[in-house]
Amino acid sequence: MAAAPGPRLPETPRQLLRSALGAAGAAAPDLYAIAVATLELLVEAADRNPILVVAEDAHWFDRSSADVLAFVARRAGSAPIALVAAVRGGDDTTPVDALGEAGLPDLPLGPLPEEDARALLDRAATELPAGLRERILTAASGNPLALLELPASVREDSFSTVVPMNARLESAFTARLPEMPGLTRTLLLAAAAEPSCTLAQLLTVVAAVSGEPVGIDVLDPAAAAGLVRSHGLQLRFRHPLVASAVYQAAAPSDRIAMHAALATALADQPDRAIWHRSAAATGPDPEVAADLRVFAGRAALRGAASVAVAALERAASFSAGADRIDLLLRAAELSCETGQARERLPTLLEQIRAGEPTGRDAARRMQVEAVLAPIPDTQAIAGLVEHATMIWEQDRALAYSLLLAAAIRCWWGGAPPELRALVQEAADRFDPDLHNPPSLTVHAYASQPERGALLLDRAGRVLADPDPARRRFAIGVYALTGDFAVSATITPAAIATARGNGQVLLTARWLAVQSGTSFWAGAWDAGLAEATEAERLGRELHDPSIYLLASATQAMFAAARGELDRAEACIAATLADPALPGNRAVLAATQKGRAMVALAAGRPADAMERVLSIYDPADAHHHWMYQYWALTDLAEAARAAGQLDRARAILAALDQVAEPIGSVRIALGVARALLATDDHAEPLFEAALAEDLAAWPFERARLNLAYGRFLRRRLRVTQSRAPLRLAAEILERLGATAWREQARSELRATGAKGTAPRGGPAAMTAQELQIARLAAEGLSNREIGERLFLSPRTVGSHLYRIFPKLGIANRAQLSAVLNGSEG
């Protein structure tokens, strides 16, 4: 993949790849945007000729490169692209993990059978003593390289101890070095220390180190021994272990001198030069540390955050005091920001704590620690608030960042009122009038529902701000406070912007938010596609909060549509995930899904047991906002299970919100009507139905179903038909099969006919439906691919399968079919 992006590649992916390759002036790209651009480059090239991508020694890749390769591997299946990655067995490294998670077929290459091993050894060494021959066969254990290399360097007594095979082979290669002239060994060390150098550069370096004139003939002894070969202008070792053996065999002073000479020779390549300068340094060196910091900045601009983290950690080793702590903190912060090199965080934090940071650095350490602290750790919330308050006057941006981290933990961990109040009080001290956009997000994550109206008033003003970064603070407020009607209209634009900027993590987060919004808004086809994509991206990004919430949301969609096996499978997978414990927001969503499964299956007592756990502060499923979002489930289960008094007590405790908004207001109104005694129910039904429920179709349908049932039970049969028919029609459009059958049954009991079964693209997967909708909007395969992080060819393959499922011949017919399916 050394070729430059071809002329057919559009400008955006071309610029992303130029940035990844270090082009000056390019903006810092998201790693997954680079991955999408790489995929586009390969797909474009594969349109002309099939492509084989070979990743040799992939266990030595940095995490950024491995993630890009894994991304391509997951999505290149429909293009004429084959990928083969060779990984050394037994290497438990991050790049190997990334490739394994890509789902590539695994083809283990085992040792040679004994007969083949003996034949290969006979060819490599014809006159070995019998005893030594058997020892080599035993030590090599069928490793072909070992069978070829060990005979040239071992003696009868060389297997007296157990030595790892790689070490044995390195020793085998090292055994040939004493035969080489001094200048040849120096040349080999230079090539081992910097494989990118040309042969001419290596000869210059050898001359500089030795102080002697050097000619091309110094290469001859190493080439004759089969250790190296020239490849054009480059020098190549016959095997990576040869390079490792040469480097390890050199004296430390020789290595230092070589790195110093290479740094001088590569002065026109500052990134490589500083790496060698750092290898040549023998103690604290502020200048080297400063240059490594600059190098790290350039690596981050290329999207290589894992490389940047390594450089910052290395820079810290040449620093002391506050400078050292600052470099380690920056490395840790970069790991958190990008998700790359996150496996280094525990080690980085250990070094940071050893330096005993104070003041602003102590606050930065607390922020990083919060990333690793388990969600139920309430002390983390109090500590974050304390450090935010301490740092407020010195660094307000950092203070808000700490406070937001505390508020987010409140939300996911379902923190008790006193901890949420702690966060809110600090936010009020920072910004009593809620004029600062970050304050809105802090309050939205930690707020009591009664503050929703004030939050939305301020959020509406921020939405008019021309700065998209400021608007982003307002968008989540609508979903977190339950004003899903507005959230459904503004979040799609945020998703489109994140997609357009290649911000995959942000895209995944907004998709997870929007999928829940779509459930309430009745856009179930789109919502299921959003949840499916959010889960896929969340897993790829290793963000449990995203993929667990998306999985729980899929369970709610499946339960509402009567796909109970699928719902229970989603729930089981969510509950089995090791990242779930303590995440009360997801646990509550899962419990709501389980209650809906039980209601759909006609098990109201089971549903009641499930949903009650959401209202018990001592239960792990308790969450203060899901108490409102599960109220309709509670009311339906309580009436069917004959447990009205318990549900009424819960409603009375919750029905204290001074100015309820959005879903909270709707849920309270529906629950009041469903839980009322017969003598008081009718005015409560009428009040709830008087709300504008167009944006809440599922709640509207369930309310009309309950009202029609109430009227029929009061022998007002004729009056009951209108709400029952409306409920049946809405539930038909939604595909809410269990509730639809209840409405049809009630209608039949009044003597009226039910509604016709729903048609539409039921056979399509969530991703196929998402692609079909975008195609119906007129987007090209490339544009769809850019939005969904897929290759254009993959989009085309999906459309090829979609058309027969919908009974159409081309994309021009998509809009009519899809719009018709929504009734």
Side-chain angles (χ1 to χ4, degrees):
M1 293 195 300
R8 295 174 60 189
L9 202 63
E11 184 63 21
T12 297
R14 282 174 62 84
Q15 289 303 319
L16 284 168
L17 290 177
R18 284 174 54 80
S19 176
L21 295 171
D30 179 277
L31 178 68
Y32 272 65
I34 295 170
V36 172
T38 304
L39 178 63
E40 283 204 56
L41 173 64
L42 291 171
V43 170
E44 286 287 0
D47 277 342
R48 297 186 288 277
N49 292 294
I51 288 179
L52 172 64
V53 179
V54 178
E56 181 67 288
D57 290 320
H59 46 273
W60 286 335
F61 282 21
D62 62 83
R63 180 62 197 239
S64 303
S65 300
D67 281 340
V68 170
L69 188 65
F71 183 97
V72 171
R74 280 190 290 267
R75 291 165 171 81
S78 60
I81 299 172
L83 186 146
V84 178
V87 177
R88 182 186 297 167
D91 277 40
D92 184 19
T93 60
T94 299
V96 175
D97 292 342
L99 294 173
E101 292 160 4
L104 295 174
D106 191 9
L107 181 62
L109 296 180
L112 291 175
E114 183 177 354
E115 182 179 348
D116 294 335
R118 288 181 179 277
L120 181 60
L121 182 58
D122 287 342
R123 288 175 55 189
T126 58
E127 299 181 356
L128 281 175
L132 182 57
R133 182 172 183 273
E134 293 303 316
R135 287 171 177 264
I136 290 175
L137 284 168
T138 300
S141 300
N143 183 317
L145 182 63
L147 291 165
L148 292 172
E149 301 298 338
L150 290 177
S153 60
V154 300
R155 304 183 308 278
E156 284 283 359
D157 61 350
S158 58
F159 296 106
S160 57
T161 58
V162 177
V163 180
M165 181 51 60
N166 286 342
R168 287 191 188 279
L169 288 171
E170 287 189 0
S171 296
F173 293 128
T174 306
R176 306 179 192 180
L177 292 179
E179 308 166 7
M180 305 289 155
L183 290 178
T184 301
R185 292 199 301 271
T186 303
L187 175 68
L188 291 173
L189 176 58
E194 182 47 74
S196 74
C197 278
T198 65
L199 184 54
Q201 287 175 316
L202 291 174
L203 294 174
T204 300
V205 169
V206 172
V209 171
S210 65
E212 302 177 31
V214 177
I216 191 67
D217 57 314
V218 300
L219 174 61
D220 293 342
L227 296 179
V228 294
R229 66 182 186 276
S230 59
H231 183 75
L233 300 176
Q234 301 292 130
L235 188 65
R236 292 285 183 260
F237 286 98
R238 60 170 299 190
H239 191 277
L241 285 176
V242 180
S244 176
V246 167
Y247 189 83
Q248 296 301 326
S253 58
D254 290 339
R255 291 185 213 162
I256 290 171
M258 181 56 67
H259 284 297
L262 284 166
T264 301
L266 297 171
D268 61 336
Q269 301 178 48
D271 286 354
R272 292 191 180 278
I274 183 53
W275 210 249
H276 287 293
R277 282 183 60 211
S278 69
T282 57
D285 191 325
E287 187 176 341
V288 168
D291 287 345
L292 281 169
R293 183 192 283 271
V294 174
F295 167 84
R298 287 196 294 264
L301 282 174
R302 297 197 309 271
S306 58
V307 176
V309 168
L312 289 165
E313 191 172 5
R314 194 164 186 171
S317 69
F318 297 110
S319 306
D323 289 340
R324 172 180 168 80
I325 292 174
D326 178 61
L327 287 161
L328 290 170
L329 281 166
R330 181 60 196 131
E333 289 163 351
L334 189 59
S335 297
C336 296
E337 290 166 11
T338 64
Q340 295 184 56
R342 190 145 311 179
E343 69 279 357
R344 295 292 303 153
L345 273 179
T347 302
L348 288 167
L349 277 170
E350 185 178 343
Q351 296 178 72
I352 292 166
R353 293 188 192 109
E356 299 181 352
T358 58
R360 181 175 181 273
D361 286 344
R364 293 169 68 192
R365 185 210 71 202
M366 185 73 189
Q367 185 179 29
V368 173
E369 286 177 334
V371 173
L372 293 182
I375 285 176
D377 183 1
T378 55
Q379 290 302 314
I381 295 174
L384 286 163
V385 173
E386 178 185 351
H387 280 80
T389 303
M390 176 185 68
I391 204 68
W392 172 246
E393 294 299 336
Q394 183 180 353
D395 189 335
R396 298 196 171 190
L398 176 58
Y400 266 124
S401 183
L402 290 165
L403 205 57
L404 181 57
I408 289 172
R409 295 183 72 82
C410 283
W411 174 264
W412 291 112
E418 59 271 18
L419 276 177
R420 299 203 306 275
L422 190 67
V423 175
Q424 293 171 41
E425 288 165 5
D428 284 338
R429 289 195 301 273
F430 293 175
D431 182 20
D433 296 320
L434 278 178
H435 290 316
N436 201 339
S439 297
L440 300 178
T441 309
V442 170
H443 279 291
Y445 273 112
S447 173
Q448 303 289 349
E450 59 265 21
R451 301 198 70 171
L454 175 60
L455 284 174
L456 290 182
D457 174 71
R458 297 292 191 270
R461 302 178 193 181
V462 175
L463 277 178
D465 195 303
D467 183 354
R470 289 172 63 84
R471 287 201 303 272
R472 187 186 304 165
F473 284 108
I475 294 172
V477 172
Y478 290 90
L480 289 165
T481 57
D483 195 338
F484 298 125
V486 177
S487 179
T489 66
I490 61 176
T491 309
I495 295 172
T497 299
R499 287 192 194 278
N501 293 335
Q503 297 168 299
V504 182
L505 181 60
L506 192 56
T507 299
R509 286 175 178 167
W510 285 129
L511 282 167
V513 169
Q514 180 66 7
S515 63
T517 296
S518 295
F519 179 82
W520 287 90
W524 286 4
D525 289 340
L528 182 58
E530 290 155 357
T532 302
E533 185 184 5
E535 182 185 7
R536 173 173 60 83
L537 293 176
R539 291 190 184 280
E540 291 179 7
L541 295 162
H542 306 286
D543 192 315
S545 293
I546 291 175
Y547 70 72
L548 290 174
L549 181 60
S551 178
T553 303
Q554 289 176 69
M556 289 194 290
F557 280 116
R561 285 185 157 169
E563 299 168 356
L564 303 189
D565 289 344
R566 179 179 178 183
E568 289 177 339
C570 287
I571 291 167
T574 305
L575 293 175
D577 195 286
L580 178 64
N583 193 324
R584 290 197 175 201
V586 173
L587 282 165
T590 303
Q591 204 71 337
K592 174 176 167 60
R594 297 173 86 180
M596 291 179 65
V597 167
L599 284 171
R603 304 194 309 267
D606 185 19
M608 190 68 179
E609 179 184 350
R610 299 297 188 191
V611 78
L612 280 173
S613 64
I614 298 175
Y615 298 91
D616 180 1
D619 195 286
H621 299 89
H622 173 73
H623 193 277
W624 78 89
M625 279 302 293
Y626 275 91
Q627 290 182 121
Y628 295 92
W629 295 342
L631 268 176
T632 304
D633 306 308
L634 172 72
E636 282 191 3
R639 183 161 287 283
Q643 299 187 48
L644 288 169
D645 287 344
R646 294 185 71 182
R648 286 167 180 161
I650 290 171
L651 175 62
L654 292 177
D655 201 1
Q656 306 295 322
V657 183
E659 197 175 351
I661 59 166
S663 60
V664 172
R665 184 182 71 251
I666 300 300
L668 285 170
V670 172
R672 291 187 201 110
L674 267 62
L675 293 174
T677 62
D678 285 355
D679 291 342
H680 298 89
E682 187 159 8
L684 293 174
F685 272 115
E686 290 174 351
L689 289 167
E691 291 275 2
D692 182 4
L693 299 174
W696 316 89
F698 192 36
E699 301 306 295
R700 182 187 184 196
R702 294 167 82 176
L703 180 62
N704 274 279
L705 172 58
Y707 186 41
R709 185 181 282 135
F710 164 77
L711 291 172
R712 192 180 71 78
R713 195 169 65 242
R714 304 279 285 187
L715 303 181
R716 294 158 64 180
V717 175
T718 302
Q719 287 178 272
S720 71
R721 289 174 182 159
L724 289 172
R725 184 172 284 110
L726 178 59
E729 290 173 354
I730 295 172
L731 294 166
E732 182 69 46
R733 290 199 299 271
L734 292 173
T737 55
W739 283 266
R740 177 197 64 197
E741 290 309 311
Q742 292 179 40
R744 286 179 176 177
S745 177
E746 292 287 342
L747 268 176
R748 285 194 296 272
T750 70
K753 294 182 179 180
T755 59
R758 175 190 175 188
M764 294 167 64
T765 66
Q767 189 171 71
E768 286 173 343
L769 184 59
Q770 196 173 22
I771 289 170
R773 291 187 180 284
L774 292 172
E777 293 175 14
L779 274 68
S780 68
N781 288 5
R782 178 183 295 284
E783 291 168 331
I784 295 170
E786 288 174 351
R787 287 202 184 187
L788 302 183
F789 307 107
L790 300 170
S791 75
R793 187 181 291 271
T794 298
V795 173
S797 296
H798 277 299
L799 287 170
Y800 181 78
R801 292 191 294 269
I802 287 168
F803 293 159
K805 289 183 179 182
L806 296 179
I808 60 176
N810 55 60
R811 63 203 300 151
Q813 299 170 281
L814 279 169
S815 181
V817 172
L818 293 175
N819 290 337
S821 74
E822 292 188 339

